[in-house]
Amino acid sequence: MKYFGIIVFFLGQFNAVAQFTLRGKIIASDTKTPLAGASIFLTSTSFGTVTNSAGEFTLGIPAGKYDLIASFVGYETSAQTISGTISEPIVISLKLKAEMFDEVVVGPYDKDGWKNWGQFFIENFVGTSAGAADCKIENYETLRFRHNKKENKLYAVAGEQLVISNKFLGYLVKYQMEEFEYDFKKGYLVYVGYPLFTPMEGGAARQRRWKKNRNEAYKGSVMNFMRSVFRNKIVEDGFEVRRMFKNPNLEKERVKALGGKRMLVIGSTPLPRKPSEDSSDYYRRVMQQPDELVSFSSYTITGDSIAYAIDSVTAGLEFNDYLHITYTKAPAPEKYRRLSPQNAQMRSELFCNGTGGVAIQSNGHYYPPLNILSLGFWAWSEKMADMLPFDFQPIK
């Protein structure tokens, strides 16, 4: 199945050199009472902790700018960008969470939600890669589903952080899910959330296997590509990028508008025939064509033709319409090749969905994330089973 994928994580600049200690307290906004056991972490990293009985926390984190997430069951998630220059303790006030679903908008929740939608959710959230079999949602019962039949959209929410045991990559992931929506009409998936990665403990053999699997997951990933763009090394790092053009198939639209009438071709101009007359070969051939005609630039693109320096720590990526990206240093995973036999390599498309492109940090994070949609290999691979924290560094 071919679909757009938007997998959204939020994280500011990550600097793994210097560190500082952030102290603070998490309280309820209505009662001002401390919230013991609340989660506080830097999203998409392995830096996080929980508050003590007084609602207080101490968190050692790298210097820089990033999004600090605070969450507690029954309360709205807090996300704020912080700087490594903070020296005074901070107080985070969490508001009580409203009803998770608006029944007027999306209808009542499905009482047999996991039975009806659980496998679909796993395939689209965890993924279907080889590693997905070793990736388990430990508290799946917290998920609730609603299917808006009028719009043919599926919504999911979680009453608490999802706990995901990824024994393929060796991470325990706590995922604060803010949004999950699948549009069946458009084949369009978007999920938004804040993950915290905790490396699993294990013997030497397991650690070696996890390191190998993490390296393989990194190769050709969106993180790999964005880091290459930041360093202006997309060619050296094995990414072959071409401009991609998609135009509507006007002939198919014209033939389709005839309402299935059979065609008679005179020269290059098809003329409608009466349905009772013989032969509609031309009509069938045209209707079998794709809705869009795709073409590519004859030349490959270097990083400096689509990216530029915003400042000393941020790069900008901007392009029109589509980029077609092939990773050349490794073949596509076997499972993906079975699903898409025509794609022996990792071939993906990026579609610029907004204005102004995106800003990229050195760790591969880019924002605003909704400005770019992915298709092809990345729409299949960029799921939780193969997701890495932004503080991950591949082993040479």
Side-chain angles (χ1 to χ4, degrees):
M1 178 172 58
K2 183 177 181 180
Y3 53 84
F4 288 97
I6 310 176
I7 301 94
V8 183
F9 304 99
F10 301 91
L11 178 68
Q13 180 192 353
F14 181 85
N15 184 330
V17 180
Q19 288 200 7
F20 77 103
T21 299
L22 177 68
R23 293 182 173 85
K25 187 174 185 178
I26 301 178
I27 63 173
S29 63
D30 53 348
T31 63
K32 307 303 179 185
T33 56
L35 296 176
S39 295
I40 183 82
F41 61 95
L42 304 182
T43 187
S44 296
T45 73
S46 56
F47 292 85
T49 188
V50 296
T51 57
N52 61 19
S53 59
E56 298 170 341
F57 66 87
T58 300
L59 180 62
I61 54 180
K65 292 182 179 179
Y66 12 38
D67 281 345
L68 181 72
I69 308 303
S71 67
F72 191 73
V73 175
Y75 289 78
E76 293 182 5
T77 302
S78 167
Q80 59 178 301
T81 301
I82 64 170
S83 169
T85 59
I86 294 178
S87 57
E88 297 296 324
I90 63 173
V91 177
I92 301 174
S93 181
L94 300 185
K95 297 179 180 179
L96 282 171
K97 185 181 292 185
E99 170 62 27
M100 292 184 292
F101 279 123
D102 183 345
E103 294 194 16
V104 175
V105 177
V106 298
Y109 71 88
D110 190 335
K111 293 181 180 180
D112 296 318
W114 184 254
K115 178 181 178 181
N116 294 333
W117 301 107
Q119 186 60 36
F120 181 86
F121 181 83
I122 289 174
E123 291 175 357
N124 285 277
F125 178 72
V126 174
T128 58
S129 66
D134 292 324
C135 195
K136 180 182 179 182
I137 302 175
E138 300 289 351
N139 58 339
Y140 65 86
E141 66 278 356
T142 191
L143 286 161
R144 295 171 67 187
F145 299 88
R146 281 186 177 162
H147 181 213
N148 186 324
K149 295 181 179 180
K150 182 178 180 181
E151 296 183 358
N152 202 11
K153 292 181 179 180
L154 177 68
Y155 300 89
V157 296
E160 60 187 24
Q161 285 183 338
L162 294 178
V163 179
I164 305 162
S165 175
N166 189 337
K167 295 183 180 180
F168 182 73
L169 297 181
Y171 292 112
L172 181 69
V173 184
K174 293 183 178 179
Y175 187 86
Q176 184 66 38
M177 191 172 75
E178 299 298 307
E179 180 181 354
F180 181 95
E181 176 184 324
Y182 191 93
D183 188 325
F184 289 94
K185 291 181 181 178
K186 298 179 180 179
Y188 183 100
L189 168 68
V190 55
Y191 64 88
V192 179
Y194 307 102
L196 171 65
F197 294 79
T198 301
M200 290 181 173
E201 296 182 358
R206 285 187 178 182
Q207 293 294 339
R208 286 193 298 270
R209 183 172 71 252
W210 288 337
K211 289 178 181 179
K212 178 179 180 297
N213 291 343
R214 292 169 188 173
N215 267 18
E216 290 301 313
Y218 178 76
K219 292 178 182 177
S221 65
V222 172
M223 181 190 293
N224 187 184
F225 177 73
M226 292 299 177
R227 289 180 177 182
S228 298
V229 171
F230 179 88
R231 298 184 352 258
N232 194 22
K233 297 285 186 180
I234 60 174
V235 176
E236 296 88 335
D237 288 348
F239 291 99
E240 183 181 277
V241 183
R242 297 179 185 273
R243 296 194 182 276
M244 185 176 187
F245 311 97
K246 292 187 178 183
N247 296 297
N249 188 336
L250 298 179
E251 177 63 3
K252 183 175 180 178
E253 291 181 3
R254 190 188 69 79
V255 170
K256 189 176 181 180
L258 293 172
K261 293 181 180 179
R262 299 179 182 224
M263 308 296 294
L264 172 64
V265 180
I266 301 178
S268 61
T269 305
L271 299 174
R273 297 183 62 181
K274 295 179 180 179
S276 60
E277 294 187 32
D278 195 18
S279 181
S280 57
D281 288 344
Y282 182 80
Y283 173 81
R284 286 196 297 268
R285 288 199 304 272
V286 172
M287 292 306 294
Q288 290 172 357
Q289 294 176 3
D291 293 335
E292 294 178 312
L293 300 177
V294 179
S295 60
F296 304 91
S297 63
S298 58
Y299 54 89
T300 58
I301 294 174
T302 56
D304 55 10
S305 65
I306 53 176
Y308 54 92
I310 295 177
D311 54 43
S312 60
V313 294
T314 313
L317 171 64
E318 192 169 353
F319 56 93
N320 294 324
D321 298 327
Y322 291 87
L323 293 180
H324 186 267
I325 302 164
T326 303
Y327 185 67
T328 63
K329 289 193 173 182
E334 181 181 353
K335 198 161 185 180
Y336 182 71
R337 295 199 304 269
R338 290 202 301 267
L339 294 172
S340 184
Q342 72 276 19
N343 289 315
Q345 293 178 294
M346 304 179 203
R347 293 191 176 96
S348 306
E349 301 169 21
L350 283 184
F351 172 60
C352 191
N353 193 39
T355 58
V358 295
I360 306 172
Q361 303 291 334
S362 61
N363 60 5
H365 169 68
Y366 62 93
Y367 59 91
L370 295 182
N371 274 14
I372 286 183
L373 306 181
S374 62
L375 298 92
F377 176 74
W378 283 340
W380 175 81
S381 66
E382 295 290 313
K383 303 292 193 299
M384 291 307 301
D386 294 284
M387 201 63 61
L388 296 163
F390 280 112
D391 46 316
F392 168 78
Q393 290 297 329
I395 301 171
K396 303 296 184 181

